[in-house]
Structure formats: structure tokens, C-alpha cells
Amino acid sequence: TGGGAWSRQSSGTVVDLHSVSSVDGNTAWAVGTGGVILRTADGGSTWTPQPSGTTADLLAVHAVDAYTAWAAGRGGLVLLTRDGGANWLPISSGTTAALHGLSVNANTAWVVGEGGYRAKIRDKDYVPAPRIDSLSPTSGEEGARVVIEGSGFGKNQGESYAAFGIYRATEYLSWSDTRIEVKVPAGASGGVEVTVVTLVGVS
């Protein structure tokens, strides 16, 4: 009715939603706090959550068509889907600044954020999820030095971290995209799983 009447819709979530973008009268995406992504294909009668692979707040979204959409948020995070949201791939933005605005044309996105940050991003800048290939040594006491080798850790640590079971490491000797040198945190005893957590995902 062109705004002559407005009807309330249920999103199915209680978290803050920060942005919405529609393709047409039926298909739209909404994004929000904690990495929440919702999609509707029936004009908003139902909203289906989608796995974003992140817990970072998403602050902007731009839908290109029924299959393609971009999202952006805190920590410089940019995500892209080309399969209707079944998979969201991380794209390198070149910053850790919070990104509040997003506009897309074809394979290129323009983003703006805190501190006056602005950038032009192409989907070739895909960022892989973190992966651990080896640990050395594979056992040790609290405070022992451990080298984690793999890929997708990020050039800089930023908000990323290594975890030993439920214990998050706090002392790092070095951090690169393929190698992390860290000390075993207090409390990490017995057999524990070592993971690397980034804005993109968990190893």
C-alpha cells in the first residue's frame, strides 16, 4: 500500500537488528548483534536464521539478488554469500575498524566505518577460516611455550585468540597468518583441544 499501512512482523530473535536490505517484495536479509543473519523469502512472514560463522556484530547488509548479499560489521568484518545464505564467505577489508555502511555493485563493495575509514573491496579478497596444521610441543605445563602452525590466523592478532580447552590464552610471543607462538594459560591441564578463534571462524 506504499506505506499507507504498516504491519508488525516477528523476526524470531530478541537481539538488536542493525540493517535490512531487500531484493524485491519477498526476499530480504537482516543482520544484527552477535553475527545474527536472518533471511525471508515470503515477504517477512517468516525469517530464517543463517550461519554467519562469526559472533561479531553485523552492522550493515546489502542484497544484490535472491542469491547474493554482502554484510559488514565490527572488526572490519565483511561477508559475502552467493548461494542464498547457505554459506557466508569472509572477505578482506584491510581494517579492524567497525564498518557501518555498505553499498554493492556487481563484484565490488564500498564500505565506510569508524574513524573515517572507507574502502573498495572485491570478492577476490576471500579470507579463509583458520586452520591448525601442527602443534609443537603437543604437551606441556602451564606457562610453557607452544608454537601453532597453520593458515588463516590473520596478519595481526586483533581480536583473535588461541584457546586451550575453555581457557583463553593471554600471553603471545608472536602472531602471523601461518604461525602463533603462545604460552599455555593457567587452568589448561589434562587433555585439552587447542583452537584458534578469529572473526572469520574457529579452527
Short mmCIF file of all heavy atoms in Angstrom, two decimals, residues 141-193:
data_model
loop_
_atom_site.label_atom_id
_atom_site.label_comp_id
_atom_site.label_asym_id
_atom_site.label_seq_id
_atom_site.Cartn_x
_atom_site.Cartn_y
_atom_site.Cartn_z
N GLU A 141 53.48 -27.90 30.54
CA GLU A 141 52.90 -27.33 31.75
C GLU A 141 52.31 -25.94 31.46
O GLU A 141 52.55 -25.35 30.40
CB GLU A 141 53.99 -27.20 32.83
CG GLU A 141 54.65 -28.52 33.21
CD GLU A 141 53.71 -29.46 33.91
OE1 GLU A 141 52.79 -28.96 34.61
OE2 GLU A 141 53.86 -30.68 33.76
N GLU A 142 51.57 -25.44 32.44
CA GLU A 142 51.07 -24.07 32.33
C GLU A 142 52.25 -23.11 32.18
O GLU A 142 53.27 -23.25 32.86
CB GLU A 142 50.26 -23.70 33.57
CG GLU A 142 48.99 -24.53 33.73
CD GLU A 142 48.27 -24.19 35.02
OE1 GLU A 142 48.70 -23.26 35.72
OE2 GLU A 142 47.27 -24.86 35.34
N GLY A 143 52.14 -22.17 31.27
CA GLY A 143 53.21 -21.22 31.02
C GLY A 143 54.22 -21.69 29.98
O GLY A 143 55.10 -20.92 29.59
N ALA A 144 54.10 -22.94 29.53
CA ALA A 144 55.03 -23.45 28.52
C ALA A 144 54.77 -22.77 27.17
O ALA A 144 53.65 -22.39 26.85
CB ALA A 144 54.87 -24.96 28.37
N ARG A 145 55.82 -22.62 26.37
CA ARG A 145 55.71 -22.03 25.05
C ARG A 145 55.23 -23.07 24.04
O ARG A 145 55.75 -24.18 23.99
CB ARG A 145 57.07 -21.49 24.61
CG ARG A 145 57.06 -20.79 23.25
CD ARG A 145 58.46 -20.37 22.87
NE ARG A 145 59.31 -21.53 22.61
CZ ARG A 145 59.46 -22.11 21.41
NH1 ARG A 145 58.81 -21.62 20.37
NH2 ARG A 145 60.25 -23.14 21.27
N VAL A 146 54.22 -22.72 23.27
CA VAL A 146 53.68 -23.62 22.24
C VAL A 146 53.65 -22.88 20.91
O VAL A 146 53.25 -21.71 20.85
CB VAL A 146 52.25 -24.09 22.60
CG1 VAL A 146 51.67 -24.93 21.47
CG2 VAL A 146 52.26 -24.88 23.90
N VAL A 147 54.09 -23.55 19.86
CA VAL A 147 54.04 -22.98 18.51
C VAL A 147 52.89 -23.64 17.75
O VAL A 147 52.83 -24.87 17.63
CB VAL A 147 55.36 -23.20 17.75
CG1 VAL A 147 55.23 -22.71 16.30
CG2 VAL A 147 56.50 -22.47 18.46
N ILE A 148 51.97 -22.82 17.28
CA ILE A 148 50.82 -23.30 16.49
C ILE A 148 51.08 -22.89 15.04
O ILE A 148 51.25 -21.71 14.75
CB ILE A 148 49.50 -22.66 16.98
CG1 ILE A 148 49.29 -22.93 18.47
CG2 ILE A 148 48.33 -23.18 16.16
CD1 ILE A 148 48.11 -22.17 19.07
N GLU A 149 51.10 -23.88 14.14
CA GLU A 149 51.32 -23.57 12.73
C GLU A 149 50.10 -23.98 11.92
O GLU A 149 49.43 -24.97 12.23
CB GLU A 149 52.57 -24.28 12.22
CG GLU A 149 53.85 -23.77 12.87
CD GLU A 149 55.10 -24.33 12.23
OE1 GLU A 149 55.09 -25.54 11.91
OE2 GLU A 149 56.07 -23.57 12.05
N GLY A 150 49.79 -23.20 10.91
CA GLY A 150 48.63 -23.48 10.08
C GLY A 150 48.42 -22.35 9.08
O GLY A 150 49.37 -21.87 8.47
N SER A 151 47.16 -21.90 8.95
CA SER A 151 46.85 -20.83 7.99
C SER A 151 45.57 -20.12 8.42
O SER A 151 44.80 -20.62 9.23
CB SER A 151 46.67 -21.41 6.59
OG SER A 151 45.60 -22.34 6.56
N GLY A 152 45.39 -18.93 7.87
CA GLY A 152 44.17 -18.18 8.12
C GLY A 152 44.07 -17.55 9.49
O GLY A 152 42.98 -17.20 9.94
N PHE A 153 45.23 -17.36 10.18
CA PHE A 153 45.20 -16.76 11.51
C PHE A 153 45.08 -15.23 11.44
O PHE A 153 44.69 -14.60 12.42
CB PHE A 153 46.48 -17.11 12.29
CG PHE A 153 46.71 -18.59 12.46
CD1 PHE A 153 48.01 -19.09 12.54
CD2 PHE A 153 45.66 -19.49 12.54
CE1 PHE A 153 48.24 -20.45 12.70
CE2 PHE A 153 45.89 -20.85 12.69
CZ PHE A 153 47.18 -21.33 12.77
N GLY A 154 45.44 -14.64 10.30
CA GLY A 154 45.43 -13.20 10.16
C GLY A 154 46.82 -12.63 10.37
O GLY A 154 47.59 -13.13 11.19
N LYS A 155 47.14 -11.58 9.63
CA LYS A 155 48.48 -10.97 9.74
C LYS A 155 48.72 -10.38 11.12
O LYS A 155 49.84 -10.38 11.62
CB LYS A 155 48.64 -9.90 8.67
CG LYS A 155 48.65 -10.45 7.24
CD LYS A 155 48.83 -9.33 6.24
CE LYS A 155 48.83 -9.88 4.82
NZ LYS A 155 48.98 -8.80 3.81
N ASN A 156 47.65 -9.85 11.73
CA ASN A 156 47.74 -9.28 13.07
C ASN A 156 46.72 -9.96 13.97
O ASN A 156 45.66 -10.41 13.50
CB ASN A 156 47.49 -7.78 13.03
CG ASN A 156 48.47 -7.05 12.13
OD1 ASN A 156 49.67 -7.08 12.37
ND2 ASN A 156 47.96 -6.41 11.09
N GLN A 157 47.01 -10.00 15.26
CA GLN A 157 46.11 -10.70 16.18
C GLN A 157 44.75 -10.03 16.28
O GLN A 157 43.72 -10.70 16.19
CB GLN A 157 46.73 -10.80 17.58
CG GLN A 157 45.85 -11.57 18.55
CD GLN A 157 46.41 -11.60 19.95
OE1 GLN A 157 47.53 -11.15 20.20
NE2 GLN A 157 45.64 -12.13 20.88
N GLY A 158 44.72 -8.71 16.45
CA GLY A 158 43.45 -8.02 16.60
C GLY A 158 42.62 -8.62 17.73
O GLY A 158 43.11 -8.76 18.86
N GLU A 159 41.39 -9.02 17.43
CA GLU A 159 40.52 -9.63 18.42
C GLU A 159 40.62 -11.15 18.43
O GLU A 159 39.90 -11.82 19.18
CB GLU A 159 39.07 -9.21 18.18
CG GLU A 159 38.84 -7.71 18.32
CD GLU A 159 37.40 -7.33 18.09
OE1 GLU A 159 36.52 -8.17 18.35
OE2 GLU A 159 37.14 -6.20 17.65
N SER A 160 41.49 -11.72 17.61
CA SER A 160 41.64 -13.17 17.53
C SER A 160 42.42 -13.69 18.74
O SER A 160 43.14 -12.94 19.40
CB SER A 160 42.37 -13.56 16.25
OG SER A 160 41.68 -13.06 15.12
N TYR A 161 42.28 -14.99 19.01
CA TYR A 161 43.00 -15.58 20.15
C TYR A 161 43.11 -17.09 19.98
O TYR A 161 42.38 -17.71 19.19
CB TYR A 161 42.30 -15.25 21.46
CG TYR A 161 40.88 -15.77 21.58
CD1 TYR A 161 40.60 -17.03 22.11
CD2 TYR A 161 39.80 -14.99 21.16
CE1 TYR A 161 39.30 -17.50 22.22
CE2 TYR A 161 38.50 -15.46 21.26
CZ TYR A 161 38.26 -16.71 21.79
OH TYR A 161 36.96 -17.18 21.89
N ALA A 162 44.03 -17.68 20.75
CA ALA A 162 44.17 -19.13 20.83
C ALA A 162 43.53 -19.58 22.14
O ALA A 162 43.59 -18.86 23.15
CB ALA A 162 45.63 -19.54 20.78
N ALA A 163 42.93 -20.75 22.13
CA ALA A 163 42.30 -21.29 23.33
C ALA A 163 42.77 -22.71 23.58
O ALA A 163 42.95 -23.49 22.64
CB ALA A 163 40.78 -21.26 23.21
N PHE A 164 42.99 -23.02 24.85
CA PHE A 164 43.36 -24.37 25.27
C PHE A 164 42.17 -24.90 26.08
O PHE A 164 41.99 -24.55 27.24
CB PHE A 164 44.62 -24.33 26.12
CG PHE A 164 45.86 -23.97 25.35
CD1 PHE A 164 46.04 -22.68 24.86
CD2 PHE A 164 46.84 -24.93 25.09
CE1 PHE A 164 47.17 -22.35 24.14
CE2 PHE A 164 47.97 -24.60 24.37
CZ PHE A 164 48.14 -23.31 23.89
N GLY A 165 41.33 -25.69 25.41
CA GLY A 165 40.07 -26.08 26.03
C GLY A 165 39.21 -24.84 26.22
O GLY A 165 39.03 -24.05 25.29
N ILE A 166 38.72 -24.62 27.44
CA ILE A 166 37.89 -23.45 27.72
C ILE A 166 38.72 -22.25 28.17
O ILE A 166 38.17 -21.17 28.44
CB ILE A 166 36.84 -23.76 28.80
CG1 ILE A 166 37.53 -24.13 30.12
CG2 ILE A 166 35.92 -24.88 28.34
CD1 ILE A 166 36.55 -24.28 31.28
N TYR A 167 40.05 -22.42 28.21
CA TYR A 167 40.92 -21.36 28.72
C TYR A 167 41.55 -20.57 27.57
O TYR A 167 42.26 -21.12 26.73
CB TYR A 167 42.00 -21.94 29.63
CG TYR A 167 41.42 -22.66 30.82
CD1 TYR A 167 41.24 -24.04 30.80
CD2 TYR A 167 41.01 -21.95 31.95
CE1 TYR A 167 40.67 -24.70 31.89
CE2 TYR A 167 40.44 -22.59 33.03
CZ TYR A 167 40.27 -23.97 33.00
OH TYR A 167 39.71 -24.61 34.07
N ARG A 168 41.28 -19.28 27.57
CA ARG A 168 41.79 -18.40 26.52
C ARG A 168 43.20 -17.93 26.86
O ARG A 168 43.46 -17.45 27.96
CB ARG A 168 40.84 -17.20 26.40
CG ARG A 168 41.22 -16.18 25.36
CD ARG A 168 40.07 -15.21 25.21
NE ARG A 168 40.41 -14.06 24.39
CZ ARG A 168 39.54 -13.18 23.93
NH1 ARG A 168 38.25 -13.33 24.22
NH2 ARG A 168 39.93 -12.16 23.19
N ALA A 169 44.11 -18.09 25.92
CA ALA A 169 45.49 -17.67 26.13
C ALA A 169 45.58 -16.14 26.16
O ALA A 169 44.86 -15.46 25.42
CB ALA A 169 46.39 -18.22 25.03
N THR A 170 46.47 -15.63 27.00
CA THR A 170 46.62 -14.17 27.13
C THR A 170 48.05 -13.70 26.83
O THR A 170 48.26 -12.51 26.64
CB THR A 170 46.24 -13.72 28.55
OG1 THR A 170 47.07 -14.41 29.50
CG2 THR A 170 44.77 -14.02 28.84
N GLU A 171 49.01 -14.64 26.80
CA GLU A 171 50.40 -14.26 26.54
C GLU A 171 50.84 -14.78 25.18
O GLU A 171 50.91 -16.00 24.96
CB GLU A 171 51.31 -14.82 27.63
CG GLU A 171 51.07 -14.22 29.01
CD GLU A 171 52.10 -14.70 30.02
OE1 GLU A 171 53.28 -14.38 29.86
OE2 GLU A 171 51.70 -15.43 30.95
N TYR A 172 51.15 -13.85 24.27
CA TYR A 172 51.58 -14.21 22.91
C TYR A 172 52.98 -13.66 22.66
O TYR A 172 53.27 -12.49 22.94
CB TYR A 172 50.60 -13.64 21.88
CG TYR A 172 49.20 -14.21 22.03
CD1 TYR A 172 48.28 -13.59 22.89
CD2 TYR A 172 48.82 -15.36 21.36
CE1 TYR A 172 47.00 -14.12 23.06
CE2 TYR A 172 47.55 -15.89 21.52
CZ TYR A 172 46.65 -15.27 22.37
OH TYR A 172 45.38 -15.80 22.53
N LEU A 173 53.84 -14.51 22.13
CA LEU A 173 55.20 -14.10 21.80
C LEU A 173 55.30 -13.62 20.36
O LEU A 173 56.14 -12.78 20.04
CB LEU A 173 56.16 -15.27 22.05
CG LEU A 173 56.11 -15.85 23.48
CD1 LEU A 173 57.02 -17.05 23.60
CD2 LEU A 173 56.49 -14.77 24.49
N SER A 174 54.45 -14.17 19.49
CA SER A 174 54.40 -13.71 18.10
C SER A 174 53.09 -14.17 17.47
O SER A 174 52.45 -15.11 17.95
CB SER A 174 55.59 -14.26 17.29
OG SER A 174 55.51 -15.67 17.17
N TRP A 175 52.69 -13.46 16.39
CA TRP A 175 51.44 -13.81 15.69
C TRP A 175 51.60 -13.46 14.22
O TRP A 175 51.96 -12.32 13.88
CB TRP A 175 50.26 -13.04 16.28
CG TRP A 175 48.92 -13.45 15.73
CD1 TRP A 175 48.46 -13.25 14.45
CD2 TRP A 175 47.89 -14.13 16.41
NE1 TRP A 175 47.20 -13.78 14.31
CE2 TRP A 175 46.82 -14.31 15.50
CE3 TRP A 175 47.73 -14.59 17.74
CZ2 TRP A 175 45.63 -14.95 15.87
CZ3 TRP A 175 46.55 -15.22 18.08
CH2 TRP A 175 45.51 -15.40 17.16
N SER A 176 51.36 -14.42 13.34
CA SER A 176 51.34 -14.16 11.90
C SER A 176 50.23 -15.01 11.29
O SER A 176 49.55 -15.77 11.99
CB SER A 176 52.68 -14.51 11.26
OG SER A 176 52.86 -15.92 11.19
N ASP A 177 50.02 -14.88 10.00
CA ASP A 177 48.93 -15.60 9.34
C ASP A 177 49.12 -17.11 9.39
O ASP A 177 48.16 -17.86 9.31
CB ASP A 177 48.83 -15.14 7.88
CG ASP A 177 47.56 -15.63 7.22
OD1 ASP A 177 46.47 -15.39 7.77
OD2 ASP A 177 47.65 -16.26 6.14
N THR A 178 50.37 -17.57 9.54
CA THR A 178 50.65 -19.01 9.50
C THR A 178 51.28 -19.56 10.77
O THR A 178 51.46 -20.77 10.90
CB THR A 178 51.60 -19.35 8.32
OG1 THR A 178 52.82 -18.60 8.48
CG2 THR A 178 50.94 -18.98 6.99
N ARG A 179 51.61 -18.67 11.74
CA ARG A 179 52.33 -19.15 12.92
C ARG A 179 52.00 -18.30 14.14
O ARG A 179 52.03 -17.07 14.07
CB ARG A 179 53.84 -19.13 12.66
CG ARG A 179 54.71 -19.74 13.75
CD ARG A 179 56.17 -19.67 13.32
NE ARG A 179 57.06 -20.37 14.22
CZ ARG A 179 57.58 -19.86 15.34
NH1 ARG A 179 57.29 -18.61 15.69
NH2 ARG A 179 58.39 -20.58 16.10
N ILE A 180 51.67 -18.97 15.24
CA ILE A 180 51.40 -18.30 16.51
C ILE A 180 52.30 -18.92 17.57
O ILE A 180 52.37 -20.15 17.68
CB ILE A 180 49.93 -18.47 16.94
CG1 ILE A 180 48.99 -17.87 15.90
CG2 ILE A 180 49.69 -17.82 18.31
CD1 ILE A 180 47.53 -18.22 16.14
N GLU A 181 52.98 -18.08 18.33
CA GLU A 181 53.78 -18.55 19.45
C GLU A 181 53.13 -18.02 20.72
O GLU A 181 52.99 -16.81 20.90
CB GLU A 181 55.22 -18.05 19.34
CG GLU A 181 56.17 -18.73 20.30
CD GLU A 181 57.62 -18.36 20.03
OE1 GLU A 181 57.88 -17.68 19.02
OE2 GLU A 181 58.49 -18.74 20.85
N VAL A 182 52.68 -18.94 21.59
CA VAL A 182 51.84 -18.55 22.72
C VAL A 182 52.22 -19.36 23.95
O VAL A 182 52.79 -20.46 23.83
CB VAL A 182 50.35 -18.79 22.35
CG1 VAL A 182 50.10 -20.26 22.05
CG2 VAL A 182 49.41 -18.30 23.43
N LYS A 183 51.87 -18.84 25.12
CA LYS A 183 52.11 -19.58 26.36
C LYS A 183 50.82 -20.24 26.83
O LYS A 183 49.75 -19.65 26.73
CB LYS A 183 52.65 -18.64 27.44
CG LYS A 183 54.08 -18.18 27.18
CD LYS A 183 54.63 -17.39 28.35
CE LYS A 183 56.07 -16.99 28.12
NZ LYS A 183 56.63 -16.24 29.29
N VAL A 184 50.95 -21.48 27.34
CA VAL A 184 49.79 -22.22 27.83
C VAL A 184 49.17 -21.46 29.01
O VAL A 184 49.87 -21.12 29.97
CB VAL A 184 50.20 -23.64 28.28
CG1 VAL A 184 48.98 -24.38 28.84
CG2 VAL A 184 50.82 -24.41 27.12
N PRO A 185 47.86 -21.16 28.95
CA PRO A 185 47.23 -20.38 30.02
C PRO A 185 47.02 -21.20 31.29
O PRO A 185 46.99 -22.43 31.26
CB PRO A 185 45.89 -19.98 29.40
CG PRO A 185 45.59 -21.09 28.45
CD PRO A 185 46.92 -21.49 27.87
N ALA A 186 46.88 -20.50 32.41
CA ALA A 186 46.59 -21.16 33.68
C ALA A 186 45.25 -21.87 33.60
O ALA A 186 44.31 -21.38 32.99
CB ALA A 186 46.57 -20.13 34.81
N GLY A 187 45.20 -23.07 34.19
CA GLY A 187 43.96 -23.85 34.20
C GLY A 187 43.88 -24.90 33.12
O GLY A 187 43.06 -25.82 33.21
N ALA A 188 44.71 -24.77 32.10
CA ALA A 188 44.65 -25.72 30.98
C ALA A 188 45.45 -26.97 31.31
O ALA A 188 46.62 -27.10 30.93
CB ALA A 188 45.17 -25.06 29.71
N SER A 189 44.84 -27.88 32.04
CA SER A 189 45.53 -29.12 32.41
C SER A 189 44.77 -30.32 31.88
O SER A 189 43.58 -30.23 31.57
CB SER A 189 45.65 -29.20 33.94
OG SER A 189 44.37 -29.18 34.54
N GLY A 190 45.47 -31.44 31.79
CA GLY A 190 44.86 -32.64 31.23
C GLY A 190 44.81 -32.55 29.72
O GLY A 190 45.45 -31.70 29.11
N GLY A 191 44.04 -33.40 29.09
CA GLY A 191 43.92 -33.39 27.63
C GLY A 191 42.93 -32.31 27.20
O GLY A 191 41.75 -32.37 27.54
N VAL A 192 43.40 -31.30 26.49
CA VAL A 192 42.52 -30.23 26.04
C VAL A 192 42.69 -30.03 24.53
O VAL A 192 43.74 -30.34 23.96
CB VAL A 192 42.81 -28.89 26.76
CG1 VAL A 192 42.53 -29.01 28.24
CG2 VAL A 192 44.25 -28.45 26.52
N GLU A 193 41.66 -29.49 23.90
CA GLU A 193 41.69 -29.19 22.48
C GLU A 193 42.18 -27.77 22.28
O GLU A 193 41.72 -26.85 22.95
CB GLU A 193 40.30 -29.34 21.87
CG GLU A 193 40.25 -29.07 20.38
CD GLU A 193 38.85 -29.21 19.82
OE1 GLU A 193 37.91 -28.67 20.44
OE2 GLU A 193 38.70 -29.87 18.79
#
